[in-house]
Amino acid sequence: MTVAGQHADATAVLTDWVAPTREQGALREAFLGLLAARDDATARSCVPGHLTASTVVLTADRRRVLLTLHRRLGRWLQLGGHLEPQDADLAGAALREATEESGLAGLVLDPTPVHLDVHALTCSLGVPTRHFDVRYRVFVPTDAVPVASAESDDLRFFPVDALPAGTDGSLRDAVAAAQRP
């Protein structure tokens, strides 16, 4: 897929997405503003900021969430990352990232985003940028046993009401959003 195709998909997904809160609606407008301003907004080479795709990976009963202890950042996070050239769309990128980072086959992705977040960090570009993260909900097969990828120091399930110490508010909000029907 081309960056232009990813851009068109992201624009359509976010235009159609009904934000669950006022704050999420404001973020949706910021994402659409970035997409309107930058043809390369889905490419990691877009230094001012770029879209990323991540997942809140839940057990079928929605009582446990799979988190990764990110090797470079040293924090527990949801699974996800940059769009790659082979990704046809945001949802596909989110599912690919979840599969790669969990080692699990048979993940079931809900194709409607559940949460948006913008966070500043220095990613693989080596310069400060912003990630405009579109977050999806994924369910794991029963009795799934995840296997940490090279990007992770640890990978494990946590009760959704007992996330690890230091979990930021944005991740807590994403987990809460993913639990909704």
Side-chain angles (χ1 to χ4, degrees):
M1 175 61 72
T2 65
V3 169
Q6 292 172 346
H7 189 282
D9 169 73
T11 301
V13 166
L14 292 166
T15 297
D16 293 344
W17 186 61
V18 178
T21 66
R22 231 170 131 180
E23 292 80 11
Q24 287 288 290
L27 277 175
R28 175 185 164 272
E29 294 306 316
F31 280 54
L32 289 169
L34 174 68
L35 287 160
R38 298 292 301 236
D39 291 339
D40 61 345
T42 61
R44 87 172 66 198
S45 59
C46 183
V47 175
H50 44 270
L51 269 66
T52 55
S54 68
T55 57
V56 176
V57 180
L58 296 170
T59 54
D61 63 7
R62 299 177 194 218
R63 292 184 181 170
R64 295 185 307 140
V65 61
L66 183 64
L67 299 178
T68 180
L69 181 56
H70 195 278
R71 179 162 286 165
R72 192 171 59 80
L73 299 177
R75 294 184 4 216
W76 288 100
L77 302 172
Q78 76 282 357
L79 308 182
H82 293 100
L83 280 73
E84 300 294 342
Q86 72 269 19
D87 294 323
D89 53 31
L90 283 171
L95 183 59
R96 176 189 51 75
E97 286 283 347
T99 301
E100 288 175 1
E101 293 182 9
S102 71
L104 296 172
L107 297 174
V108 178
L109 177 122
D110 177 345
T112 302
V114 295
H115 191 258
L116 303 177
D117 183 60
V118 179
H119 45 274
L121 60 96
T122 300
C123 64
S124 58
L125 295 173
V127 295
T129 187
R130 294 202 185 298
H131 282 176
F132 287 72
D133 197 28
V134 180
R135 296 169 169 178
Y136 290 85
R137 171 176 42 208
V138 168
F139 293 101
V140 298
T142 305
D143 300 325
V145 179
V147 177
S149 74
E151 296 177 33
S152 179
D153 281 335
D154 197 358
L155 182 70
R156 70 173 90 146
F157 286 100
F158 289 91
V160 295
D161 58 354
L163 298 177
T167 301
D168 72 21
S170 174
L171 179 53
R172 289 182 185 282
D173 291 347
V175 171
Q179 288 180 276
R180 294 184 195 118

